[in-house]
Amino acid sequence: MDWKIFLTVLASVFIAELGDKTQLATMLFAADKEVSKWTVFFAASAALILASAMGVLAGSLLSSYINEKVLHYIAGVGFIIIGAFTLYKA
């Protein structure tokens, strides 16, 4: 296992997930006194695993057809557009 890649992905995804809508939704589910916190934890974890698996699969498929550098540019432009839209709506 490439620990440098592992730690880079771990840190990036962890920081990106802090305070996002997914974490807030999970917090709201866990706030319900009648709901098992373990159920919420395992369901949220499974959802993140599935979403991550879809991302890995999509990235693997796209990299077969599109150059990795081009994919990085596309992702960068996408993030800039999302950021600009978020600032516009604020």
Side-chain angles (χ1 to χ4, degrees):
M1 179 183 298
D2 186 341
W3 287 102
K4 182 179 178 186
I5 296 295
F6 177 86
L7 292 173
T8 300
V9 172
L10 175 69
S12 298
V13 172
F14 179 76
I15 290 168
E17 291 297 322
L18 285 178
D20 77 342
K21 292 178 282 193
T22 304
Q23 188 180 33
L24 295 175
T26 303
M27 181 181 66
L28 290 174
F29 283 118
D32 186 343
K33 291 183 182 2
E34 297 177 14
V35 173
S36 165
K37 306 316 176 230
W38 286 109
T39 301
V40 173
F41 172 76
F42 286 121
S45 298
L48 185 56
I49 288 169
L50 288 173
S52 297
M54 289 172 53
V56 169
L57 180 62
S60 296
L61 291 173
L62 286 174
S63 70
S64 298
Y65 301 102
I66 302 173
N67 181 300
E68 181 181 348
K69 191 168 188 112
V70 172
L71 283 174
H72 282 261
Y73 283 124
I74 292 170
V77 169
F79 279 118
I80 290 170
I81 291 170
I82 292 168
F85 181 74
T86 301
L87 287 173
Y88 174 76
K89 288 296 218 176

Short mmCIF file of all heavy atoms in Angstrom, two decimals, residues 3-63:
data_model
loop_
_atom_site.label_atom_id
_atom_site.label_comp_id
_atom_site.label_asym_id
_atom_site.label_seq_id
_atom_site.Cartn_x
_atom_site.Cartn_y
_atom_site.Cartn_z
N TRP A 3 1.40 4.51 1.36
CA TRP A 3 0.91 5.27 2.51
C TRP A 3 0.79 6.76 2.22
O TRP A 3 -0.07 7.43 2.80
CB TRP A 3 1.81 5.02 3.72
CG TRP A 3 1.57 3.65 4.26
CD1 TRP A 3 2.36 2.54 4.07
CD2 TRP A 3 0.45 3.21 5.03
NE1 TRP A 3 1.79 1.45 4.69
CE2 TRP A 3 0.61 1.83 5.29
CE3 TRP A 3 -0.67 3.85 5.53
CZ2 TRP A 3 -0.30 1.09 6.02
CZ3 TRP A 3 -1.58 3.11 6.26
CH2 TRP A 3 -1.40 1.75 6.49
N LYS A 4 1.64 7.28 1.35
CA LYS A 4 1.56 8.70 1.01
C LYS A 4 0.21 9.00 0.34
O LYS A 4 -0.48 9.95 0.71
CB LYS A 4 2.71 9.10 0.10
CG LYS A 4 2.71 10.56 -0.25
CD LYS A 4 3.89 10.93 -1.12
CE LYS A 4 3.83 12.41 -1.48
NZ LYS A 4 4.87 12.77 -2.43
N ILE A 5 -0.17 8.18 -0.62
CA ILE A 5 -1.47 8.34 -1.29
C ILE A 5 -2.60 8.12 -0.29
O ILE A 5 -3.57 8.88 -0.26
CB ILE A 5 -1.60 7.38 -2.49
CG1 ILE A 5 -0.56 7.69 -3.55
CG2 ILE A 5 -3.01 7.40 -3.07
CD1 ILE A 5 -0.73 9.06 -4.19
N PHE A 6 -2.49 7.08 0.52
CA PHE A 6 -3.52 6.78 1.52
C PHE A 6 -3.77 7.99 2.42
O PHE A 6 -4.92 8.41 2.61
CB PHE A 6 -3.12 5.56 2.35
CG PHE A 6 -4.09 5.23 3.44
CD1 PHE A 6 -5.19 4.42 3.18
CD2 PHE A 6 -3.93 5.73 4.73
CE1 PHE A 6 -6.10 4.12 4.18
CE2 PHE A 6 -4.84 5.44 5.73
CZ PHE A 6 -5.93 4.63 5.45
N LEU A 7 -2.70 8.54 2.98
CA LEU A 7 -2.84 9.66 3.90
C LEU A 7 -3.33 10.93 3.19
O LEU A 7 -4.10 11.70 3.76
CB LEU A 7 -1.52 9.92 4.63
CG LEU A 7 -1.12 8.81 5.60
CD1 LEU A 7 0.29 9.06 6.15
CD2 LEU A 7 -2.11 8.66 6.73
N THR A 8 -2.92 11.13 1.95
CA THR A 8 -3.38 12.29 1.18
C THR A 8 -4.88 12.21 0.93
O THR A 8 -5.62 13.18 1.13
CB THR A 8 -2.63 12.38 -0.17
OG1 THR A 8 -1.23 12.52 0.10
CG2 THR A 8 -3.12 13.55 -1.00
N VAL A 9 -5.35 11.02 0.50
CA VAL A 9 -6.79 10.83 0.25
C VAL A 9 -7.56 10.94 1.56
O VAL A 9 -8.60 11.61 1.62
CB VAL A 9 -7.05 9.48 -0.46
CG1 VAL A 9 -8.54 9.19 -0.54
CG2 VAL A 9 -6.42 9.47 -1.84
N LEU A 10 -7.07 10.31 2.61
CA LEU A 10 -7.74 10.36 3.91
C LEU A 10 -7.90 11.81 4.38
O LEU A 10 -9.01 12.23 4.75
CB LEU A 10 -6.95 9.56 4.95
CG LEU A 10 -7.49 9.64 6.38
CD1 LEU A 10 -8.81 8.90 6.50
CD2 LEU A 10 -6.48 9.06 7.35
N ALA A 11 -6.83 12.57 4.35
CA ALA A 11 -6.89 13.96 4.81
C ALA A 11 -7.79 14.80 3.92
O ALA A 11 -8.60 15.59 4.42
CB ALA A 11 -5.48 14.56 4.85
N SER A 12 -7.69 14.62 2.61
CA SER A 12 -8.51 15.41 1.68
C SER A 12 -9.99 15.14 1.87
O SER A 12 -10.80 16.08 1.96
CB SER A 12 -8.11 15.09 0.23
OG SER A 12 -6.78 15.43 0.00
N VAL A 13 -10.37 13.87 1.93
CA VAL A 13 -11.79 13.53 2.06
C VAL A 13 -12.29 13.93 3.45
O VAL A 13 -13.40 14.47 3.57
CB VAL A 13 -12.03 12.03 1.79
CG1 VAL A 13 -13.45 11.62 2.12
CG2 VAL A 13 -11.70 11.70 0.34
N PHE A 14 -11.48 13.72 4.47
CA PHE A 14 -11.89 14.09 5.82
C PHE A 14 -12.18 15.59 5.92
O PHE A 14 -13.22 16.01 6.42
CB PHE A 14 -10.81 13.70 6.84
CG PHE A 14 -11.16 14.07 8.26
CD1 PHE A 14 -12.08 13.33 8.97
CD2 PHE A 14 -10.57 15.17 8.86
CE1 PHE A 14 -12.41 13.68 10.28
CE2 PHE A 14 -10.88 15.52 10.16
CZ PHE A 14 -11.81 14.78 10.87
N ILE A 15 -11.27 16.40 5.41
CA ILE A 15 -11.46 17.86 5.45
C ILE A 15 -12.66 18.28 4.61
O ILE A 15 -13.45 19.13 5.01
CB ILE A 15 -10.17 18.57 5.01
CG1 ILE A 15 -9.09 18.38 6.08
CG2 ILE A 15 -10.42 20.06 4.76
CD1 ILE A 15 -7.70 18.80 5.65
N ALA A 16 -12.81 17.66 3.44
CA ALA A 16 -13.93 18.01 2.56
C ALA A 16 -15.28 17.65 3.19
O ALA A 16 -16.27 18.33 2.96
CB ALA A 16 -13.78 17.31 1.21
N GLU A 17 -15.31 16.60 3.99
CA GLU A 17 -16.56 16.14 4.58
C GLU A 17 -16.95 16.92 5.83
O GLU A 17 -18.10 16.89 6.23
CB GLU A 17 -16.48 14.65 4.91
CG GLU A 17 -16.45 13.75 3.69
CD GLU A 17 -17.71 13.83 2.86
OE1 GLU A 17 -18.82 13.95 3.41
OE2 GLU A 17 -17.59 13.79 1.63
N LEU A 18 -16.00 17.59 6.47
CA LEU A 18 -16.32 18.32 7.71
C LEU A 18 -17.32 19.44 7.42
O LEU A 18 -17.08 20.30 6.57
CB LEU A 18 -15.05 18.92 8.32
CG LEU A 18 -14.12 17.95 9.01
CD1 LEU A 18 -12.89 18.69 9.52
CD2 LEU A 18 -14.81 17.25 10.17
N GLY A 19 -18.43 19.40 8.12
CA GLY A 19 -19.40 20.48 8.03
C GLY A 19 -20.21 20.50 6.74
O GLY A 19 -20.94 21.45 6.50
N ASP A 20 -20.13 19.46 5.93
CA ASP A 20 -20.92 19.47 4.70
C ASP A 20 -22.34 18.98 5.00
O ASP A 20 -22.67 18.62 6.12
CB ASP A 20 -20.24 18.67 3.59
CG ASP A 20 -20.38 17.17 3.75
OD1 ASP A 20 -20.71 16.71 4.86
OD2 ASP A 20 -20.18 16.45 2.76
N LYS A 21 -23.16 18.98 3.97
CA LYS A 21 -24.57 18.60 4.15
C LYS A 21 -24.72 17.17 4.66
O LYS A 21 -25.63 16.89 5.44
CB LYS A 21 -25.33 18.78 2.84
CG LYS A 21 -25.47 20.23 2.43
CD LYS A 21 -26.18 20.35 1.10
CE LYS A 21 -25.17 20.02 0.03
NZ LYS A 21 -25.54 20.34 -1.32
N THR A 22 -23.82 16.29 4.25
CA THR A 22 -23.90 14.90 4.69
C THR A 22 -23.68 14.80 6.20
O THR A 22 -24.41 14.10 6.89
CB THR A 22 -22.84 14.06 3.95
OG1 THR A 22 -23.03 14.21 2.55
CG2 THR A 22 -22.92 12.60 4.33
N GLN A 23 -22.68 15.50 6.68
CA GLN A 23 -22.40 15.46 8.12
C GLN A 23 -23.55 16.09 8.90
O GLN A 23 -23.94 15.58 9.96
CB GLN A 23 -21.09 16.17 8.43
CG GLN A 23 -20.67 15.97 9.88
CD GLN A 23 -19.37 16.67 10.20
OE1 GLN A 23 -19.08 17.71 9.65
NE2 GLN A 23 -18.60 16.09 11.11
N LEU A 24 -24.11 17.16 8.39
CA LEU A 24 -25.24 17.80 9.08
C LEU A 24 -26.47 16.90 9.10
O LEU A 24 -27.16 16.80 10.12
CB LEU A 24 -25.56 19.14 8.42
CG LEU A 24 -24.46 20.20 8.52
CD1 LEU A 24 -24.83 21.44 7.72
CD2 LEU A 24 -24.17 20.55 9.96
N ALA A 25 -26.73 16.21 7.99
CA ALA A 25 -27.86 15.28 7.95
C ALA A 25 -27.64 14.14 8.94
O ALA A 25 -28.57 13.75 9.67
CB ALA A 25 -28.05 14.73 6.54
N THR A 26 -26.43 13.61 9.00
CA THR A 26 -26.11 12.54 9.94
C THR A 26 -26.30 13.03 11.38
O THR A 26 -26.84 12.31 12.23
CB THR A 26 -24.66 12.05 9.73
OG1 THR A 26 -24.52 11.62 8.38
CG2 THR A 26 -24.32 10.91 10.66
N MET A 27 -25.87 14.24 11.65
CA MET A 27 -26.03 14.82 12.98
C MET A 27 -27.51 14.92 13.35
O MET A 27 -27.90 14.60 14.48
CB MET A 27 -25.38 16.20 13.04
CG MET A 27 -25.46 16.87 14.38
SD MET A 27 -24.72 18.51 14.38
CE MET A 27 -25.81 19.41 13.29
N LEU A 28 -28.34 15.33 12.39
CA LEU A 28 -29.77 15.45 12.67
C LEU A 28 -30.41 14.09 12.95
O LEU A 28 -31.25 13.96 13.85
CB LEU A 28 -30.47 16.15 11.51
CG LEU A 28 -30.14 17.64 11.37
CD1 LEU A 28 -30.78 18.20 10.10
CD2 LEU A 28 -30.60 18.41 12.59
N PHE A 29 -30.02 13.07 12.18
CA PHE A 29 -30.54 11.72 12.45
C PHE A 29 -30.10 11.24 13.83
O PHE A 29 -30.88 10.64 14.57
CB PHE A 29 -30.06 10.72 11.39
CG PHE A 29 -30.80 10.81 10.09
CD1 PHE A 29 -30.13 11.14 8.92
CD2 PHE A 29 -32.16 10.56 10.02
CE1 PHE A 29 -30.80 11.23 7.71
CE2 PHE A 29 -32.85 10.64 8.81
CZ PHE A 29 -32.16 10.98 7.66
N ALA A 30 -28.86 11.51 14.20
CA ALA A 30 -28.33 11.06 15.49
C ALA A 30 -28.96 11.84 16.65
O ALA A 30 -28.97 11.35 17.79
CB ALA A 30 -26.82 11.21 15.51
N ALA A 31 -29.48 13.01 16.39
CA ALA A 31 -30.09 13.82 17.45
C ALA A 31 -31.43 13.25 17.93
O ALA A 31 -31.88 13.56 19.03
CB ALA A 31 -30.28 15.26 16.97
N ASP A 32 -32.03 12.40 17.11
CA ASP A 32 -33.31 11.78 17.48
C ASP A 32 -33.06 10.80 18.63
O ASP A 32 -32.32 9.83 18.48
CB ASP A 32 -33.90 11.06 16.27
CG ASP A 32 -35.29 10.51 16.53
OD1 ASP A 32 -35.70 10.39 17.71
OD2 ASP A 32 -35.97 10.19 15.54
N LYS A 33 -33.68 11.03 19.79
CA LYS A 33 -33.44 10.21 20.97
C LYS A 33 -33.90 8.77 20.79
O LYS A 33 -33.43 7.86 21.47
CB LYS A 33 -34.13 10.84 22.18
CG LYS A 33 -33.49 12.14 22.64
CD LYS A 33 -34.19 12.65 23.87
CE LYS A 33 -33.70 13.94 24.43
NZ LYS A 33 -32.67 14.68 23.82
N GLU A 34 -34.85 8.54 19.88
CA GLU A 34 -35.40 7.19 19.69
C GLU A 34 -34.61 6.36 18.69
O GLU A 34 -34.91 5.19 18.48
CB GLU A 34 -36.85 7.30 19.25
CG GLU A 34 -37.73 7.96 20.29
CD GLU A 34 -39.16 8.12 19.80
OE1 GLU A 34 -39.53 7.51 18.79
OE2 GLU A 34 -39.90 8.87 20.45
N VAL A 35 -33.60 6.94 18.07
CA VAL A 35 -32.84 6.25 17.04
C VAL A 35 -31.50 5.78 17.61
O VAL A 35 -30.84 6.52 18.34
CB VAL A 35 -32.59 7.20 15.84
CG1 VAL A 35 -31.66 6.58 14.82
CG2 VAL A 35 -33.90 7.59 15.20
N SER A 36 -31.14 4.54 17.27
CA SER A 36 -29.85 4.01 17.71
C SER A 36 -28.72 4.77 17.03
O SER A 36 -28.69 4.92 15.81
CB SER A 36 -29.75 2.53 17.34
OG SER A 36 -28.42 2.08 17.44
N LYS A 37 -27.79 5.26 17.84
CA LYS A 37 -26.65 6.01 17.29
C LYS A 37 -25.76 5.09 16.46
O LYS A 37 -25.16 5.52 15.47
CB LYS A 37 -25.82 6.65 18.42
CG LYS A 37 -26.60 7.53 19.38
CD LYS A 37 -27.58 8.47 18.72
CE LYS A 37 -28.37 9.24 19.74
NZ LYS A 37 -29.79 9.22 19.54
N TRP A 38 -25.69 3.81 16.83
CA TRP A 38 -24.91 2.85 16.06
C TRP A 38 -25.52 2.63 14.68
O TRP A 38 -24.81 2.51 13.68
CB TRP A 38 -24.76 1.53 16.80
CG TRP A 38 -23.81 1.63 17.95
CD1 TRP A 38 -24.11 1.62 19.28
CD2 TRP A 38 -22.40 1.79 17.86
NE1 TRP A 38 -22.98 1.76 20.03
CE2 TRP A 38 -21.90 1.87 19.18
CE3 TRP A 38 -21.50 1.88 16.80
CZ2 TRP A 38 -20.54 2.01 19.45
CZ3 TRP A 38 -20.15 2.04 17.09
CH2 TRP A 38 -19.68 2.10 18.39
N THR A 39 -26.85 2.60 14.61
CA THR A 39 -27.52 2.44 13.33
C THR A 39 -27.21 3.62 12.41
O THR A 39 -26.89 3.45 11.24
CB THR A 39 -29.05 2.30 13.51
OG1 THR A 39 -29.31 1.16 14.33
CG2 THR A 39 -29.75 2.15 12.17
N VAL A 40 -27.28 4.82 12.97
CA VAL A 40 -26.96 6.03 12.20
C VAL A 40 -25.51 5.98 11.74
O VAL A 40 -25.20 6.25 10.58
CB VAL A 40 -27.25 7.31 13.02
CG1 VAL A 40 -26.76 8.55 12.28
CG2 VAL A 40 -28.73 7.42 13.34
N PHE A 41 -24.60 5.62 12.65
CA PHE A 41 -23.18 5.57 12.32
C PHE A 41 -22.92 4.57 11.18
O PHE A 41 -22.24 4.89 10.20
CB PHE A 41 -22.36 5.19 13.55
CG PHE A 41 -20.91 4.92 13.24
CD1 PHE A 41 -20.04 5.97 13.00
CD2 PHE A 41 -20.44 3.62 13.18
CE1 PHE A 41 -18.71 5.71 12.70
CE2 PHE A 41 -19.11 3.37 12.89
CZ PHE A 41 -18.24 4.42 12.64
N PHE A 42 -23.44 3.35 11.32
CA PHE A 42 -23.17 2.33 10.30
C PHE A 42 -23.84 2.66 8.97
O PHE A 42 -23.27 2.42 7.90
CB PHE A 42 -23.59 0.94 10.80
CG PHE A 42 -22.64 0.39 11.83
CD1 PHE A 42 -23.08 0.06 13.09
CD2 PHE A 42 -21.29 0.22 11.54
CE1 PHE A 42 -22.20 -0.43 14.05
CE2 PHE A 42 -20.40 -0.27 12.48
CZ PHE A 42 -20.86 -0.60 13.74
N ALA A 43 -25.05 3.23 9.02
CA ALA A 43 -25.73 3.61 7.77
C ALA A 43 -24.98 4.74 7.07
O ALA A 43 -24.77 4.69 5.85
CB ALA A 43 -27.17 4.03 8.06
N ALA A 44 -24.54 5.75 7.82
CA ALA A 44 -23.80 6.86 7.22
C ALA A 44 -22.45 6.37 6.69
O ALA A 44 -22.00 6.79 5.61
CB ALA A 44 -23.59 7.97 8.25
N SER A 45 -21.80 5.48 7.42
CA SER A 45 -20.53 4.92 6.96
C SER A 45 -20.71 4.12 5.67
O SER A 45 -19.91 4.25 4.74
CB SER A 45 -19.93 4.02 8.05
OG SER A 45 -19.65 4.76 9.21
N ALA A 46 -21.76 3.31 5.62
CA ALA A 46 -22.02 2.52 4.42
C ALA A 46 -22.31 3.43 3.22
O ALA A 46 -21.86 3.16 2.10
CB ALA A 46 -23.21 1.57 4.66
N ALA A 47 -23.05 4.51 3.47
CA ALA A 47 -23.36 5.45 2.39
C ALA A 47 -22.08 6.10 1.85
O ALA A 47 -21.90 6.23 0.63
CB ALA A 47 -24.33 6.52 2.88
N LEU A 48 -21.17 6.49 2.75
CA LEU A 48 -19.92 7.10 2.32
C LEU A 48 -19.05 6.09 1.57
O LEU A 48 -18.42 6.43 0.57
CB LEU A 48 -19.16 7.68 3.51
CG LEU A 48 -17.88 8.45 3.17
CD1 LEU A 48 -18.14 9.57 2.17
CD2 LEU A 48 -17.24 9.01 4.43
N ILE A 49 -19.05 4.85 2.03
CA ILE A 49 -18.30 3.80 1.34
C ILE A 49 -18.85 3.60 -0.07
O ILE A 49 -18.09 3.51 -1.05
CB ILE A 49 -18.32 2.49 2.14
CG1 ILE A 49 -17.44 2.64 3.39
CG2 ILE A 49 -17.85 1.31 1.30
CD1 ILE A 49 -17.60 1.51 4.39
N LEU A 50 -20.17 3.52 -0.21
CA LEU A 50 -20.78 3.34 -1.53
C LEU A 50 -20.50 4.52 -2.45
O LEU A 50 -20.17 4.34 -3.63
CB LEU A 50 -22.29 3.12 -1.39
CG LEU A 50 -22.72 1.77 -0.84
CD1 LEU A 50 -24.23 1.75 -0.60
CD2 LEU A 50 -22.33 0.65 -1.78
N ALA A 51 -20.62 5.74 -1.92
CA ALA A 51 -20.35 6.92 -2.73
C ALA A 51 -18.88 6.96 -3.16
O ALA A 51 -18.56 7.31 -4.30
CB ALA A 51 -20.71 8.19 -1.95
N SER A 52 -17.98 6.58 -2.25
CA SER A 52 -16.56 6.54 -2.58
C SER A 52 -16.28 5.46 -3.63
O SER A 52 -15.48 5.68 -4.55
CB SER A 52 -15.73 6.27 -1.32
OG SER A 52 -15.89 7.31 -0.40
N ALA A 53 -16.93 4.31 -3.50
CA ALA A 53 -16.75 3.24 -4.48
C ALA A 53 -17.20 3.70 -5.87
O ALA A 53 -16.54 3.40 -6.87
CB ALA A 53 -17.53 1.99 -4.05
N MET A 54 -18.30 4.44 -5.92
CA MET A 54 -18.78 4.96 -7.20
C MET A 54 -17.76 5.94 -7.78
O MET A 54 -17.51 5.94 -8.99
CB MET A 54 -20.13 5.65 -7.02
CG MET A 54 -21.25 4.68 -6.75
SD MET A 54 -22.82 5.47 -6.31
CE MET A 54 -23.08 6.60 -7.64
N GLY A 55 -17.15 6.77 -6.92
CA GLY A 55 -16.13 7.72 -7.38
C GLY A 55 -14.90 7.01 -7.92
O GLY A 55 -14.36 7.39 -8.96
N VAL A 56 -14.46 5.96 -7.22
CA VAL A 56 -13.30 5.19 -7.68
C VAL A 56 -13.61 4.51 -9.01
O VAL A 56 -12.80 4.54 -9.94
CB VAL A 56 -12.87 4.16 -6.61
CG1 VAL A 56 -11.84 3.19 -7.17
CG2 VAL A 56 -12.33 4.86 -5.38
N LEU A 57 -14.79 3.91 -9.12
CA LEU A 57 -15.18 3.24 -10.36
C LEU A 57 -15.27 4.24 -11.52
O LEU A 57 -14.74 3.99 -12.60
CB LEU A 57 -16.53 2.53 -10.17
CG LEU A 57 -17.07 1.78 -11.37
CD1 LEU A 57 -16.12 0.66 -11.78
CD2 LEU A 57 -18.45 1.22 -11.07
N ALA A 58 -15.91 5.38 -11.28
CA ALA A 58 -16.03 6.40 -12.33
C ALA A 58 -14.66 6.91 -12.74
O ALA A 58 -14.37 7.06 -13.93
CB ALA A 58 -16.91 7.56 -11.84
N GLY A 59 -13.79 7.16 -11.76
CA GLY A 59 -12.44 7.63 -12.07
C GLY A 59 -11.65 6.60 -12.86
O GLY A 59 -10.94 6.95 -13.80
N SER A 60 -11.81 5.34 -12.50
CA SER A 60 -11.11 4.27 -13.23
C SER A 60 -11.60 4.18 -14.67
O SER A 60 -10.80 4.03 -15.60
CB SER A 60 -11.33 2.93 -12.54
OG SER A 60 -10.75 2.93 -11.26
N LEU A 61 -12.91 4.26 -14.85
CA LEU A 61 -13.46 4.18 -16.20
C LEU A 61 -13.07 5.39 -17.04
O LEU A 61 -12.67 5.25 -18.21
CB LEU A 61 -14.99 4.04 -16.15
CG LEU A 61 -15.52 2.72 -15.61
CD1 LEU A 61 -17.04 2.77 -15.45
CD2 LEU A 61 -15.13 1.56 -16.52
N LEU A 62 -13.19 6.58 -16.46
CA LEU A 62 -12.85 7.79 -17.20
C LEU A 62 -11.37 7.84 -17.58
O LEU A 62 -11.02 8.29 -18.66
CB LEU A 62 -13.21 9.03 -16.39
CG LEU A 62 -14.69 9.36 -16.30
CD1 LEU A 62 -14.93 10.52 -15.34
CD2 LEU A 62 -15.25 9.71 -17.68
N SER A 63 -10.51 7.34 -16.68
CA SER A 63 -9.08 7.38 -16.97
C SER A 63 -8.69 6.46 -18.12
O SER A 63 -7.62 6.62 -18.69
CB SER A 63 -8.27 7.04 -15.71
OG SER A 63 -8.42 5.67 -15.38
#
